[in-house]
Amino acid sequence: MTLPHGTVETPVFMPVGTQGTVKAIPQHLLEALDVRILLGNTYHLYLRPGHEAIRRMGGLHRFMSWDRAILTDSGGFQVFSLSELRKVTEDGVAFRSHIDGSSHFFSPEHSMDVQIALGSDIAMAFDECTEYPADYARARASLDMTLRWAKRSKDHFEAHKHDRPWGPEPDEQTPNLFGIVQGGMFADLRRESAERLVEMDFPGYAIGGLSVGEPRELTREMIAATLPLLPADKPRYVMGVGYPDEIAEYARMGVDMMDCVLPTRAARHGLLFTSEGRLNIKNRQFAEDQRPADPNCGCLVCSRYTRAYLRHLMQAQEPLSAVLNTLHNLAFYLETMRRVRDEIAVEKAGQSAPQTA
Amino acid sequence: MTLPHGTVETPVFMPVGTQGTVKAIPQHLLEALDVRILLGNTYHLYLRPGHEAIRRMGGLHRFMSWDRAILTDSGGFQVFSLSELRKVTEDGVAFRSHIDGSSHFFSPEHSMDVQIALGSDIAMAFDECTEYPADYARARASLDMTLRWAKRSKDHFEAHKHDRPWGPEPDEQTPNLFGIVQGGMFADLRRESAERLVEMDFPGYAIGGLSVGEPRELTREMIAATLPLLPADKPRYVMGVGYPDEIAEYARMGVDMMDCVLPTRAARHGLLFTSEGRLNIKNRQFAEDQRPADPNCGCLVCSRYTRAYLRHLMQAQEPLSAVLNTLHNLAFYLETMRRVRDEIAVEKAGQSAPQTA
């Protein structure tokens, strides 16, 4: 995947950098982890420090000193999950800030303006993330509106995507806008949503509205029903997943991009993902455990610190706890995806070998 | 200064790593800052995770994965400043933990046992940090007890300093115990304290009981009155100071070692020390300031991030804020001391040049 800010090998897991920072991790350590793309949250950055301030300062890349790729979500999901007193109309969503209760309005056009001001490599169409459970009629009405919003998003994005004061992107790459498939937990609605989005011809497609509380088999079923309808030569992105075994599974199914707060958020609560399963590092049993969090992990944390030390940092509520736990979880997620990429490369080599024999 | 865990150039500023971590900073970044010695707090580590646990795990160096030098304080200052319901007798101090209210007792002998279990390169004699203000009679009584405690500390330390299950130190260096000068704000008491401590022949001496609320001129006066009485060929350590200009001044007066929570604690509250003075990074005026915190600083933070970004991280209460602010303040303190060392080296070269001419 070639983007204005560099090339990204897929399948890729994107760490979440909600407020212009992957919580607790300095950018040079993200680079050392070989993070090539991270996600910024439009809703948060719009509220604080504000997209106009970020535009004046040269965009999000420059603001946070990150010259690799950034994907921004549309703000839709956060508006629905975090804000208060929201009111959805055909025009857009009125809501109150979760920070100070102030009134705001997001439309597809406004979401595009904010994402253009941030300078994302990949912007996302403004969508309504259909809640779970939702009945058929509700899921259909929601997906219809999301499709109309996708059209408005695309029209506005195409007309304004170069409205940035800091000049053309390197390598003459233009920023991208991805469409988002909705349709609740109904395979036929997912199909319809995908087909109508593909007609609009986006440079990439996301499957949204998953991992919203449904059982995992249903997540898998919806991905399996939707993926074949999205062009294989364009990036296919499943939003908001998941556990390490999930992301590996979906990547093997053909998903190119995923993001999730799980590795970073869980880390801050002491939940570590390892090759031997999950570790709640707060547990008493680790008080004098001299092993690394994951004996099979070569990350900065596992090559230096013991479980006993990581547990102590949590017990003592030390800020280094979040730093080290997050570093490990991200390393584990990125290594998981690296292994899947290697497997896929080997498979492809195997498939092409007979042809040359 | 050659210690069991490496050589330390003096004058040196020692970052404070209260609970086995310099708050928010991974050890490899402390190494990158060229930190050669840090301070651990005996009181905190005794309470959590416990000195016996640390001893079983091979000492504090191994526990926190830090193979450079560590100085531990005696626990006295924290017992007096943090614990509850403390009762001081000739034997020692009974107190209740600030964490859970449990009852504990620290004597000179117990403080030595804890510091030996931690495996410090430099342990400190158990002292009573005389409060400010204290009248002459009180300061005298307190210093007399501190001297008796110094003797008990030394006897116990010498008898038990090798009671560590993890074998001899590298390079056959033995751990050190420093004595602590007290005497309130009375120059003659300081003198008496220093002379009687020097008679006991410690490998290094600290001046304690300063920076406890007294005006800065008084701090300087007490240091000036005490320093000449301490052997110049042994390390002279002023505890708990100070602001950048203070540590530079005291270093030029002949102080070899200093420690203070100021650079790390202030950082977490958004106070940055720079070559142009102090910066309260929370201030509105920095909201779109594209300059680095200190234009004359080459640290990891100043070479990459803007004031606007650092302010945003504070406003958004992001954990990266503490990481970056602390990194800068420590870099600034260490650079301050590096410059003083260079000045002293130049002076010495200048003094010796005529002799060779």
Side-chain angles (χ1 to χ4, degrees):
Chain A
M1 197 161 59
T2 306
L3 298 170
H5 293 84
T7 298
V8 179
E9 286 184 82
T10 58
V12 65
F13 178 81
M14 302 181 290
V16 176
T18 298
Q19 305 194 102
T21 153
V22 175
K23 285 193 192 303
I25 310 298
Q27 276 70 316
H28 80 285
L29 295 183
L30 295 173
E31 289 166 356
L33 282 171
D34 201 27
V35 171
R36 299 293 184 91
I37 180 168
L38 50 79
L39 187 143
N41 282 126
T42 293
Y43 167 84
H44 289 86
L45 292 165
Y46 158 79
L47 288 177
R48 190 169 52 192
H51 64 295
E52 288 300 348
I54 290 180
R55 184 209 298 272
R56 284 191 295 272
M57 290 188 275
L60 182 56
H61 291 85
R62 187 159 163 199
F63 177 61
M64 65 180 286
S65 186
W66 176 255
D67 66 6
R68 300 184 180 187
I70 296 175
L71 178 147
T72 47
D73 62 7
S74 70
F77 181 75
Q78 269 73 27
V79 165
F80 290 103
S81 61
L82 290 180
S83 72
E84 289 159 20
L85 293 171
R86 63 196 164 273
K87 187 167 182 299
V88 185
T89 62
E90 181 66 26
D91 199 25
V93 189
F95 62 94
R96 286 184 182 275
S97 158
H98 73 290
I99 300 172
D100 61 7
S102 54
S103 294
H104 301 269
F105 185 77
F106 258 53
S107 65
E109 290 78 13
H110 183 62
S111 168
M112 296 306 107
D113 285 339
V114 176
Q115 294 184 75
I116 289 165
L118 296 177
S120 331
D121 294 78
I122 301 175
M124 300 302 299
F126 192 64
D127 66 327
E128 185 182 52
C129 180
T130 313
E131 69 283 0
Y132 177 82
D135 66 22
Y136 194 87
R138 161 70 191 137
R140 156 158 295 287
S142 173
L143 104 82
D144 283 339
M145 189 171 70
T146 284
L147 282 165
R148 292 189 297 274
W149 284 2
K151 175 77 169 61
R152 285 167 57 189
S153 294
K154 190 164 193 294
D155 290 347
H156 196 82
F157 187 81
E158 291 302 328
H160 298 280
K161 66 184 176 187
H162 294 298
D163 291 358
R164 305 193 278 198
W166 57 87
E169 293 296 341
D171 302 331
E172 298 185 15
Q173 291 285 331
T174 57
N176 301 280
L177 177 69
F178 283 16
I180 304 180
V181 176
Q182 290 288 349
M185 301 300 157
F186 304 98
D188 64 326
L189 293 182
R190 289 275 169 186
R191 184 174 311 119
E192 182 179 333
S193 172
E195 286 169 355
R196 286 167 61 189
L197 268 182
V198 170
E199 281 168 23
M200 290 186 215
D201 192 22
F202 286 92
Y205 299 90
I207 306 179
L210 295 181
S211 220
V212 288
E214 78 282 8
R216 186 161 155 187
E217 307 79 68
L218 209 45
T219 318
R220 188 190 298 118
E221 195 186 314
M222 288 302 113
I223 294 172
T226 313
L227 216 49
L229 304 168
L230 300 174
D233 61 342
K234 291 182 174 176
R236 298 181 293 191
Y237 164 27
V238 174
M239 307 179 83
V241 292
Y243 285 96
D245 56 329
E246 273 184 293
I247 64 167
E249 180 182 4
Y250 303 151
R252 289 193 194 98
M253 287 168 67
V255 174
D256 299 299
M257 304 162 66
M258 285 166 278
D259 78 281
C260 194
V261 294
L262 188 58
T264 42
R265 183 175 292 165
R268 297 194 301 282
H269 292 100
L271 187 67
L272 301 181
F273 297 101
T274 80
S275 62
E276 299 172 342
R278 299 178 209 168
L279 226 59
N280 186 337
I281 201 65
K282 291 194 297 292
N283 282 352
R284 181 88 198 99
Q285 68 184 104
F286 302 125
E288 298 192 20
D289 192 329
Q290 299 282 72
R291 287 171 295 172
D294 184 350
N296 303 309
C297 176
C299 84
L300 198 66
V301 180
C302 290
S303 56
R304 178 150 197 170
Y305 304 99
T306 62
R307 294 174 180 181
Y309 185 64
L310 297 178
R311 176 178 188 271
H312 167 68
L313 294 178
M314 287 245 32
Q315 293 294 111
Q317 298 176 293
E318 279 288 344
L320 186 59
S321 175
V323 178
L324 298 185
N325 290 351
T326 304
L327 273 175
H328 166 73
N329 273 357
L330 283 181
F332 186 75
Y333 266 65
L334 293 168
E335 179 59 25
T336 297
M337 293 309 265
R338 203 171 352 246
R339 271 206 309 278
V340 176
R341 286 200 299 272
D342 289 347
E343 281 172 31
I344 293 172
V346 167
E347 272 170 36
K348 279 192 180 164
Q351 283 165 359
S352 62
Q355 298 173 345
T356 58
Chain B
M1 196 161 59
T2 305
L3 299 170
H5 294 85
T7 298
V8 179
E9 287 183 82
T10 58
V12 65
F13 178 80
M14 303 181 288
V16 176
T18 298
Q19 306 193 101
T21 153
V22 174
K23 285 193 192 303
I25 310 298
Q27 276 70 317
H28 79 285
L29 296 182
L30 296 175
E31 289 166 356
L33 283 170
D34 201 27
V35 172
R36 299 292 183 90
I37 180 168
L38 51 77
L39 188 143
N41 283 126
T42 293
Y43 167 83
H44 289 85
L45 293 165
Y46 157 79
L47 288 177
R48 189 169 55 192
H51 64 295
E52 287 299 348
I54 290 181
R55 184 209 297 271
R56 282 192 296 272
M57 291 187 277
L60 182 57
H61 291 85
R62 189 162 162 198
F63 177 61
M64 66 181 286
S65 185
W66 176 256
D67 66 7
R68 301 185 181 185
I70 297 176
L71 179 147
T72 48
D73 63 7
S74 71
F77 181 75
Q78 269 74 27
V79 165
F80 289 105
S81 62
L82 290 179
S83 72
E84 289 159 17
L85 292 171
R86 61 193 166 276
K87 188 168 181 298
V88 186
T89 61
E90 180 68 27
D91 197 26
V93 188
F95 62 95
R96 287 183 181 275
S97 158
H98 74 291
I99 300 172
D100 61 8
S102 53
S103 295
H104 301 269
F105 185 78
F106 258 51
S107 64
E109 291 76 15
H110 183 62
S111 168
M112 295 307 107
D113 284 340
V114 175
Q115 295 183 73
I116 289 165
L118 297 176
S120 330
D121 294 79
I122 301 174
M124 299 302 298
F126 192 65
D127 65 327
E128 185 182 53
C129 180
T130 313
E131 67 283 1
Y132 177 83
D135 65 23
Y136 194 86
R138 161 71 190 136
R140 157 159 293 286
S142 174
L143 107 80
D144 282 340
M145 189 171 69
T146 284
L147 283 166
R148 291 189 297 272
W149 284 1
K151 175 77 168 59
R152 285 168 56 188
S153 294
K154 189 164 193 290
D155 290 347
H156 196 82
F157 188 81
E158 291 303 327
H160 298 280
K161 66 185 176 185
H162 294 297
D163 291 358
R164 305 193 279 198
W166 57 85
E169 293 297 339
D171 303 331
E172 298 184 16
Q173 291 287 330
T174 57
N176 301 280
L177 176 69
F178 282 17
I180 305 179
V181 175
Q182 292 287 348
M185 301 302 157
F186 304 98
D188 63 328
L189 293 183
R190 288 276 169 186
R191 183 173 313 118
E192 183 179 334
S193 172
E195 286 170 353
R196 287 167 60 189
L197 268 182
V198 170
E199 282 167 23
M200 289 186 216
D201 191 23
F202 286 91
Y205 299 89
I207 306 179
L210 295 181
S211 220
V212 288
E214 79 281 8
R216 186 162 155 185
E217 308 80 68
L218 210 44
T219 318
R220 188 190 298 116
E221 195 186 313
M222 288 302 113
I223 294 173
T226 312
L227 217 47
L229 304 169
L230 300 173
D233 61 342
K234 291 183 174 177
R236 298 180 292 190
Y237 163 29
V238 175
M239 307 180 84
V241 294
Y243 284 96
D245 56 330
E246 274 185 292
I247 63 167
E249 181 184 2
Y250 303 151
R252 289 192 195 100
M253 287 167 68
V255 173
D256 299 297
M257 304 163 66
M258 285 166 277
D259 78 281
C260 195
V261 293
L262 189 58
T264 42
R265 183 175 293 165
R268 298 195 301 281
H269 293 100
L271 187 67
L272 301 181
F273 297 101
T274 80
S275 61
E276 299 172 342
R278 299 178 209 169
L279 226 59
N280 186 338
I281 201 66
K282 292 194 297 290
N283 282 352
R284 180 89 198 98
Q285 68 185 104
F286 302 125
E288 298 192 21
D289 191 331
Q290 298 282 73
R291 288 172 295 173
D294 184 350
N296 302 310
C297 175
C299 84
L300 198 67
V301 181
C302 290
S303 57
R304 178 151 197 171
Y305 303 99
T306 62
R307 294 174 181 182
Y309 184 63
L310 296 179
R311 176 180 189 269
H312 166 69
L313 293 180
M314 287 245 32
Q315 292 295 113
Q317 299 177 291
E318 279 287 345
L320 186 58
S321 175
V323 179
L324 297 185
N325 291 351
T326 304
L327 274 175
H328 166 74
N329 274 356
L330 282 182
F332 186 75
Y333 266 64
L334 293 169
E335 179 57 27
T336 297
M337 292 308 265
R338 202 171 352 249
R339 272 206 309 278
V340 176
R341 286 200 299 271
D342 289 347
E343 281 172 31
I344 293 174
V346 167
E347 272 170 38
K348 279 193 181 163
Q351 285 166 357
S352 61
Q355 300 175 343
T356 59

